[in-house]
Amino acid sequence: MNKKSGFWKIFFAIVCLCVASVFALIESGKTPLFVTNYKNNFKRNISGICAYLGIELPIETQLYLDDMSEPEQKPQMTPASEDEQKKDDAAEYEEDIVQPKEGDADFTVKETAKMQKNLPTAFAAAENTRFANYGNLIVSANETEYSIYKSDTKQLSSEKIQMQEPILKVSDDYVLISETGGKKISLYKGKKLMFSAETEGNILTADLSKKGDVIAVTQKEYYKGQIVVFNKRGKKIFVWDSGSYSILDASISKNRKVAISLLSTDEGASSIIQIFDVKGREICKTDEFSNTVFFDSAFYGENLLLLSESKCISITEKGKIKWEYDFDERKIKKSVLFANGNRAILFDNDGIGEIVVLKANGKAYAPIKTENMPDTININSRYVAYNNGRNAVLTNYSGKRVLVAECSSDIKQIYITASDKVFCVYGTSIQEKTLKKPPKVKEVKEIEEKEGT
């Protein structure tokens, strides 16, 4: 027993000595060849087994197994002299200050530009393209292309189309593109084409419901106009011809009520509103609204919102007036309607720009006065956006919370994308701008005084 015990003690001591020697060699930066060979053979075996069994390894693991190179030797830690240490410290300091080498200037400029955020995205046909909010996205249409963008201008999809002066409408999940003076209609759900169809007569205007029903006002020979309704599969479900009055506009509700605004010229210019169901049954026909031409109609629920040059009103499907908002001789310049029935109206009040938010229940907010006459406005459930020259402006309905961003180009169209961001359309580019509170009068004076000195 004593001999066996002595043997195992000697064997254990030899193993420990070997392990310590290998560890010392590895730490010295000189990995023994047999260790490298063993490691590489182990990698080959694992790769072979996985390949045989058809196991797909993560890319990082596969790259490790494929690496058969010898490990780099660790540098010898020889203490440097004091002079050498000072030279190394100086060199390290110089490396921190990156100096562009000759021929690298363009590369440096490009890298700097790439790092800059919120730059305009080139879009050659931007000015002649129609855009619209689509949930958290932006959709666009021109004569040759229908596209979907993220609010930061990244294009998500694009489809070639052929549309003459396209009309772009959005309602919930659906996007309508139709051509003014042409006959083509296309309905999309996101990037999916639901149907394409052609009308008999040229299209004057078109709209759609939240369920994807499409209504179009078209010309028709020997008549004053025609109304045609397609369901979301492209099947005609309603057609109505007008023999007595010209058709100004038409809309369709979620429950398929069809409202038509007619122009009567028997005594001056007046409007008559007729409402049908899609089976052709007349629900109501109003009396003439004297000296009032309702050129824009839209359903909010089952109530109808009507806009003219002099007033905005809401009527029930039975034709009863719910409320009326008179413009008091102010000239309407633009109007934008949001999905919740709230409307932003831009007025020219003796040369002063005024934006009034009119809620679906008839409540009107105090006018938001603008410094310059805006070229474009937009509205969502909480905010109004407009341009003040080359400045993008975002405000709440009351006009008390104002955010501003200066743009580098003239703003042709503007769309709200967040509580502090807008999507701007320029002549040949698009851009999402982040807006901030403008400096107070005191801060502006201090800045001007500093610049003056």
Side-chain angles (χ1 to χ4, degrees):
M1 294 293 293
N2 292 333
K3 288 183 179 180
K4 287 184 178 181
S5 177
F7 170 78
W8 285 112
K9 287 180 180 179
I10 294 171
F11 178 76
F12 182 72
I14 293 171
V15 170
C16 290
L17 181 61
C18 290
V19 171
S21 300
V22 171
F23 179 78
L25 285 169
I26 293 173
E27 285 300 308
S28 68
K30 297 179 180 178
T31 305
L33 183 60
F34 76 87
V35 174
T36 302
N37 290 338
Y38 179 80
K39 182 178 69 174
N40 290 341
N41 286 331
F42 178 77
K43 290 181 179 181
R44 292 189 188 96
N45 292 335
I46 295 298
S47 296
I49 292 169
C50 292
Y52 178 76
L53 296 176
I55 299 173
E56 185 176 347
L57 297 170
I59 186 63
E60 295 86 356
T61 304
Q62 191 62 57
L63 290 173
Y64 171 74
L65 293 176
D66 292 341
D67 182 15
M68 299 296 175
S69 61
E70 294 185 9
E72 294 181 2
Q73 303 300 326
K74 292 184 178 180
Q76 298 297 320
M77 301 299 291
T78 305
S81 65
E82 188 175 346
D83 292 340
E84 290 175 340
Q85 184 64 43
K86 289 181 179 179
K87 289 180 181 179
D88 291 341
D89 291 342
E92 184 178 352
Y93 176 76
E94 289 177 359
E95 287 177 1
D96 290 339
I97 305 174
V98 180
Q99 299 292 340
K101 297 179 182 179
E102 186 176 354
D104 289 345
D106 290 342
F107 176 78
T108 304
V109 171
K110 289 179 182 178
E111 285 299 303
T112 303
K114 188 184 293 185
M115 292 175 66
Q116 293 180 5
K117 296 180 180 180
N118 203 27
L119 293 174
T121 300
F123 192 134
E127 188 171 359
N128 297 319
T129 299
R130 295 294 93 197
F131 293 82
N133 291 97
Y134 183 63
N136 295 325
L137 305 174
I138 298 288
V139 292
S140 72
N142 55 37
E143 293 185 351
T144 59
E145 188 175 62
Y146 163 59
S147 300
I148 302 176
Y149 293 87
K150 292 179 68 175
S151 60
D152 63 2
T153 74
K154 179 182 178 182
Q155 190 178 61
L156 298 178
S157 67
S158 178
E159 181 176 336
K160 297 297 181 184
I161 60 174
Q162 288 185 339
M163 286 284 181
Q164 175 181 309
E165 296 185 32
I167 301 168
L168 179 64
K169 299 281 187 176
V170 172
S171 185
D172 277 12
D173 295 334
Y174 295 97
V175 179
L176 169 66
I177 306 175
S178 59
E179 54 183 358
T180 309
K183 300 178 180 181
K184 295 179 183 177
I185 285 178
S186 292
L187 180 70
Y188 292 86
K189 190 174 185 179
K191 64 180 181 180
K192 179 183 178 182
L193 177 63
M194 301 298 291
F195 78 85
S196 285
E198 289 195 5
T199 56
E200 294 179 9
N202 292 334
I203 299 168
L204 301 176
T205 185
D207 206 350
L208 78 163
S209 74
K210 293 183 177 181
K211 285 190 174 180
D213 295 320
V214 176
I215 186 167
V217 179
T218 68
Q219 296 175 333
K220 186 173 182 180
E221 193 174 8
Y222 308 120
Y223 287 87
K224 295 285 187 175
Q226 184 181 74
I227 299 294
V228 57
V229 177
F230 299 87
N231 65 18
K232 63 183 180 182
R233 293 181 295 276
K235 179 183 177 181
K236 285 183 183 179
I237 58 174
F238 179 77
V239 177
W240 183 80
D241 300 326
S242 179
S244 302
Y245 305 108
S246 298
I247 302 174
L248 295 171
D249 195 28
S251 58
I252 183 167
S253 73
K254 186 177 180 180
N255 294 330
R256 290 182 167 175
K257 300 294 191 302
V258 175
I260 305 168
S261 178
L262 302 168
L263 174 64
S264 171
T265 56
D266 294 339
E267 295 181 9
S270 303
S271 290
I272 298 172
I273 306 299
Q274 281 189 265
I275 300 178
F276 299 85
D277 62 23
V278 291
K279 294 181 179 179
R281 182 175 67 92
E282 183 179 277
I283 298 174
C284 86
K285 181 179 181 180
T286 67
D287 295 331
E288 290 190 9
F289 291 90
S290 299
N291 302 316
T292 304
V293 177
F294 290 118
F295 57 83
D296 183 276
S297 65
F299 275 102
Y300 174 61
E302 296 307 305
N303 294 320
L304 188 63
L305 303 174
L306 297 167
L307 179 68
S308 74
E309 293 285 345
S310 60
K311 66 179 67 176
C312 185
I313 71 170
S314 175
I315 66 172
T316 67
E317 63 180 35
K318 300 294 185 179
K320 181 181 178 181
I321 296 177
K322 294 195 67 177
W323 54 261
E324 181 174 332
Y325 179 76
D326 195 276
F327 296 166
D328 296 327
E329 298 184 357
R330 292 172 296 181
K331 296 178 181 178
I332 183 172
K333 299 282 290 183
K334 291 183 181 295
S335 173
V336 182
L337 185 68
F338 188 60
N340 65 358
N342 294 353
R343 185 189 296 272
I345 307 173
L346 172 63
F347 293 106
D348 181 352
N349 190 8
D350 292 331
I352 299 173
E354 291 184 352
I355 299 175
V356 173
V357 175
L358 188 61
K359 297 191 72 173
N361 61 8
K363 175 186 175 181
Y365 285 80
I368 301 169
K369 297 186 183 296
T370 64
E371 293 181 18
N372 298 301
M373 187 62 66
D375 299 302
T376 178
I377 60 174
N378 190 236
I379 186 174
N380 69 4
S381 59
R382 297 179 62 191
Y383 302 104
V384 173
Y386 62 95
N387 77 295
N388 179 31
R390 285 193 171 184
N391 287 335
V393 183
L394 183 67
T395 176
N396 56 7
Y397 285 0
S398 63
K400 294 179 179 178
R401 176 186 182 269
V402 179
L403 301 179
V404 180
E406 185 177 358
C407 301
S408 58
S409 301
D410 294 336
I411 304 171
K412 306 298 182 181
Q413 301 174 54
I414 194 168
Y415 301 92
I416 303 168
T417 56
S419 60
D420 62 344
K421 293 181 180 180
V422 293
F423 184 95
C424 296
V425 180
Y426 310 129
T428 57
S429 62
I430 54 179
Q431 182 182 28
E432 185 179 50
K433 293 290 292 185
T434 300
L435 302 94
K436 297 181 180 180
K437 289 184 178 180
K440 296 180 180 179
V441 176
K442 182 179 179 181
E443 294 174 351
V444 172
K445 288 182 178 179
E446 289 176 353
I447 293 171
E448 290 176 349
E449 287 175 0
K450 288 181 180 179
E451 290 178 350
T453 55

